[in-house]
Amino acid sequence: MTGSPPSSSRVALFRVFIRRWFNWLVLGAMAGAILGAVLLLLSTGAAERAERNQVERLGDVLLMLDRIERAALSAESAQRGYYITLDTRYLKPYRTSRRDAETAMERLARSIDTRMTDEQRAEFVAIEDALNDKFAELDQTIGQVERGQLRDARRQILEGEGYDAMQRLTAAIDRLAQIENRLLDEQSARAQAAEARILPLLGLLLLLVSAIVLGAVLVARTAQAETEAAQARELEVARDRANLLAQELNHRVKNLFAMVLAIIQMSAREATDVTAYKDRISARIHALLTAHEVTQGHGTAADRLNRQGGASLRALVEATVEPHVSQDKRLVLEGDDVAIDRVQVTPLGLVLHELATNAVKYGCWRDAGELAVRWTRKGDMLHLDWQEDWDTAHQESGEQPAQSQGGFGSTLMIGAARQMGGEIERTFGPRGVTVSIAFPAQPGKAAA
């Protein structure tokens, strides 16, 4: 019995020793788990920071690419305006656009220079070469216009070197943007991988409030980073779309103003009095309005728009010639309701307006007769035939149609045909004029 107390004391001390070491082991395990969690959190945070930096860098790169493309388009619009109007005021926006392009290229180089890959370097060089070629062509054309070499300038424009340079520039910009988006996706994958590594440790720390708090913070930060990255992508896409729409609208408005100015200047040369001058200008600008209404789906017959963004050829013909139809002035239309590209509507509408005006003033609709407009598609080309036929009574009386073969109307029709990428041919016979127009059904494909 005397040995029992020492034995009980040793057992108690052993239990205290075991409990103490167990506590230390638990504390060590907890400290190791917390340290591991902290290290993983730091790794995940670094990955998230890298992703955010990549998002900011991508935004800056895409913004510079957009500025480069807009500057090239604005410079081209200014060059076209100067060539058409010979107004030196177009040179100021041209020089401004050139400086903007150079500044954007320098900032783009700084944005991608720190970690530029061979693939990025190749696309950057392609953008730089295409931009230099584009401005070289624009400089040469402007220089020719300044020296009065308008034919050489027109030949330079029609040779398509500037168009090819612009196509190469746009393609290189798109490829570099795709590379930057791919790098962002890779960085996002690394951030997600870093996040995945912390999940097992969080399972071991479910009973610890600190681990739960850290895990909650981590998940919240990761979700916030992914949300910010997704919002940044959506914002950049929306911004690019808005910028492209603004550029297209600006380009179209400038071209429209240039065309109206040309109509005013050229109509003045053939006008004999103020009333005739006013009537010619009003009629031709109304033709522009009619063509615009067809492209927007407005007007009497212009609501049949093609789903791919084109306009109805039949709607354009009807909107132009039907206002002149009467019992004696008959109209025959033959052809499928094919769609033409929006860029072709304005020049073709002007041609049809000039032909209809000549038919009313000089041709088959001067008194009585029949006009037949037929169109067919042959391969990649659309063929439109305009044929006037005087009534037999006029033929028996010996009266002959008197068509206008010169002046601004002829110049306008020839220029409009070239603008559509096609050809126009007129034949004057005893029964009236016959006009054949051929132009590509897909101007972008034909130009390529």
Side-chain angles (χ1 to χ4, degrees):
M1 296 295 295
T2 56
S4 295
S7 178
S8 298
S9 177
R10 286 195 294 269
V11 172
L13 291 174
F14 179 76
R15 289 179 177 175
V16 170
F17 176 79
I18 293 298
R19 187 181 298 112
R20 182 177 296 174
W21 277 103
F22 178 77
N23 290 336
W24 281 108
L25 288 175
V26 172
L27 291 174
M30 291 174 58
I34 292 175
L35 181 61
V38 171
L39 292 177
L40 286 176
L41 284 172
L42 292 176
S43 175
T44 304
E48 292 171 358
R49 286 192 299 273
E51 183 179 9
R52 285 195 295 270
N53 292 335
Q54 184 69 22
V55 169
E56 294 176 359
R57 178 177 170 276
L58 173 62
D60 191 61
V61 169
L62 293 180
L63 179 61
M64 292 305 102
L65 292 176
D66 177 66
R67 287 183 178 178
I68 292 170
E69 188 173 12
R70 280 193 296 147
L73 289 173
S74 298
E76 184 181 56
S77 298
Q79 176 237 31
R80 296 295 192 268
Y82 181 50
Y83 167 74
I84 294 174
T85 65
L86 301 180
D87 190 345
T88 56
R89 289 179 295 179
Y90 282 95
L91 296 179
K92 182 176 180 181
Y94 170 77
R95 299 189 181 99
T96 301
S97 299
R98 178 157 193 163
R99 287 194 298 270
D100 291 344
E102 293 173 352
T103 303
M105 282 297 298
E106 294 175 356
R107 184 170 172 182
L108 176 63
R110 290 194 299 270
S111 298
I112 66 177
D113 185 55
T114 55
R115 298 180 181 178
M116 185 183 297
T117 63
D118 293 338
E119 190 177 11
Q120 289 173 306
R121 184 176 291 104
E123 298 305 333
F124 178 80
V125 171
I127 291 173
E128 191 174 35
D129 292 341
L131 190 64
N132 290 336
D133 293 343
K134 179 60 180 177
F135 276 106
E137 183 267 344
L138 294 177
D139 288 339
Q140 183 177 359
T141 304
I142 289 177
Q144 290 170 341
V145 174
E146 289 177 338
R147 294 189 298 271
Q149 300 171 350
L150 297 182
R151 290 188 177 179
D152 295 337
R154 182 176 63 179
R155 186 182 304 108
Q156 180 72 22
I157 294 173
L158 295 178
E159 284 177 354
E161 293 181 1
Y163 175 82
D164 294 338
M166 194 66 197
Q167 293 295 104
R168 288 190 286 114
L169 176 62
T170 303
I173 287 175
D174 291 341
R175 290 194 300 269
L176 183 55
Q178 291 174 1
I179 293 172
E180 293 295 327
N181 282 293
R182 188 187 69 218
L183 293 176
L184 177 61
D185 293 338
E186 293 173 357
Q187 185 61 46
S188 299
R190 286 193 290 271
Q192 292 174 358
E195 175 192 353
R197 288 194 296 268
I198 203 172
L199 294 179
L201 184 59
L202 290 178
L204 297 176
L205 300 177
L206 290 176
L207 300 178
L208 301 175
V209 176
S210 59
I212 295 175
V213 173
L214 291 174
V217 171
L218 174 65
V219 172
R221 290 179 58 192
T222 304
Q224 181 181 0
E226 292 178 352
T227 301
E228 290 176 355
Q231 291 176 348
R233 294 191 195 100
E234 293 177 359
L235 179 61
E236 196 61 39
V237 171
R239 186 182 302 163
D240 288 343
R241 186 180 297 111
N243 287 336
L244 289 175
L245 289 176
Q247 294 167 21
E248 181 180 359
L249 178 60
N250 182 49
H251 187 68
R252 288 175 180 265
V253 169
K254 287 183 178 179
N255 288 343
L256 184 60
F257 277 129
M259 187 173 294
V260 171
L261 181 60
I263 288 175
I264 293 174
Q265 292 175 340
M266 297 297 290
S267 297
R269 299 178 183 177
E270 59 182 8
T272 57
D273 53 61
V274 175
T275 302
Y277 179 49
K278 181 188 70 175
D279 293 341
R280 285 194 179 95
I281 291 180
S282 299
R284 284 164 178 161
I285 293 180
H286 182 74
L288 287 176
L289 175 61
T290 299
H292 175 73
E293 288 179 341
V294 172
T295 63
Q296 300 302 313
H298 303 304
T300 56
D303 55 350
R304 298 190 297 275
L305 286 175
N306 184 274
R307 293 182 179 179
Q308 285 73 35
S312 167
L313 176 58
R314 176 178 288 271
L316 180 60
V317 175
E318 290 177 353
T320 306
V321 301
E322 278 195 343
H324 305 290
V325 176
S326 63
Q327 183 177 0
D328 295 331
K329 301 172 182 179
R330 301 177 301 278
L331 174 65
V332 176
L333 299 180
E334 293 183 7
D336 298 332
D337 194 7
V338 299
I340 58 176
D341 195 271
R342 288 182 182 273
V343 299
Q344 298 172 322
V345 173
T346 298
L348 182 57
L350 288 174
V351 171
L352 294 175
H353 165 74
E354 290 298 323
L355 292 175
T357 300
N358 286 341
V360 172
K361 294 173 63 177
Y362 312 110
C364 66
W365 281 352
R366 180 180 176 182
D367 293 314
E370 181 178 276
L371 169 64
V373 184
R374 300 178 176 89
W375 60 88
T376 57
R377 178 167 181 169
K378 299 178 181 178
D380 294 333
M381 300 294 291
L382 282 172
H383 295 265
L384 186 144
D385 294 324
W386 175 289
Q387 186 172 0
E388 299 180 15
D389 190 3
W390 273 33
D391 280 350
T392 306
H394 290 281
Q395 297 297 315
E396 292 176 352
S397 64
E399 186 178 358
Q400 296 294 324
Q403 289 290 341
S404 174
Q405 304 187 35
F408 175 56
S410 299
T411 304
L412 184 145
M413 285 189 282
I414 295 173
R418 290 177 180 172
Q419 187 176 352
M420 291 188 296
E423 297 179 351
I424 184 169
E425 180 180 354
R426 294 190 298 170
T427 304
F428 298 91
R431 299 185 63 84
V433 67
T434 299
V435 181
S436 298
I437 308 173
F439 56 94
Q442 296 178 335
K445 179 179 179 181

